[in-house]
Amino acid sequence: MALVTTAEVCDANPQLIVSGELRALQPIFQIYGRRQVFSGPIVTLKVFEDNVLIREFLEEKGNGRVLVVDGGGSLRCAILGGNPVVQAQNNGWAGIIVNGCVRDVDEINGCDIGVRALASHPVKANKKGIGEKHVPITIAGTRICDGEWLYADTDGILVSKTELSV
């Protein structure tokens, strides 16, 4: 399959944008990791300043999926660090989107996985294991549901209700 950019997908599918089947996330995320272009089915997670459930997910086989984490937009600590990202890379996850912060940026940038986050922060997260798995979340002005598809490149991030055939 030829590489198609998110901009080309938007240009080719105006009717999907109008209907809400295809949504673009607001451009608030920084790009981390070596894989700048990635896509896959979405797994959703909602946490706040706690990374236990994130680590649990990334210990599973990713099978090309993308973990989308609503971290409440917190800029007070990092909910994703280098070790879980290495594990995600090794377990076959395509990418991780974090509505929150990451740390160990140099380690993350050495991994062959796509990571998007609001910023980096040196303080680690809590470890209480509180959160919700596979629930609808709203980040970057967009409602995202478990099982939808995510497409990311250097132009931005798209979410589609179904896998796009391009």
Side-chain angles (χ1 to χ4, degrees):
M1 178 168 66
L3 182 64
V4 178
T5 67
T6 56
E8 290 170 321
V9 169
C10 289
D11 292 351
N13 296 286
Q15 73 287 358
L16 294 180
I17 294 170
V18 170
S19 72
E21 296 274 318
L22 180 64
R23 289 109 51 216
L25 273 62
Q26 294 169 347
I28 60 174
F29 296 99
Q30 303 297 311
I31 296 175
Y32 301 97
R34 285 202 329 253
R35 194 180 298 178
Q36 293 192 339
V37 178
F38 60 95
S39 63
I42 293 170
V43 177
T44 59
L45 178 60
K46 187 171 190 163
V47 299
F48 188 73
E49 298 181 356
D50 189 312
N51 71 354
V52 171
L53 297 180
I54 296 172
R55 294 179 76 102
E56 285 177 6
F57 262 123
L58 299 177
E59 287 170 0
E60 300 173 8
K61 291 293 179 201
N63 299 315
R65 295 177 295 169
V66 177
L67 181 61
V68 181
V69 182
D70 180 0
S74 174
L75 300 176
R76 300 190 309 186
C77 67
I79 57 173
L80 182 67
N83 290 339
V85 172
V86 168
Q87 192 155 37
Q89 168 198 260
N90 295 341
N91 284 338
W93 289 85
I96 309 164
I97 309 289
V98 178
N99 184 34
C101 294
V102 297
R103 69 182 202 164
D104 308 321
V105 170
D106 290 342
E107 187 175 3
I108 291 171
N109 284 342
C111 292
D112 183 24
I113 189 170
V115 177
R116 301 290 190 275
L118 298 179
S120 60
H121 199 295
V123 175
K124 68 181 179 180
N126 296 314
K127 303 214 180 306
K128 296 178 181 171
I130 299 170
E132 298 175 89
K133 301 178 181 183
H134 307 290
V135 295
I137 59 175
T138 300
I139 63 171
T142 305
R143 181 177 164 91
I144 302 170
C145 295
D146 208 71
E148 292 186 310
W149 282 73
L150 184 137
Y151 300 86
D153 64 15
T154 53
D155 281 338
I157 303 169
L158 299 175
V159 173
S160 173
K161 290 193 181 296
T162 58
E163 182 177 8
L164 298 173
S165 56
V166 287

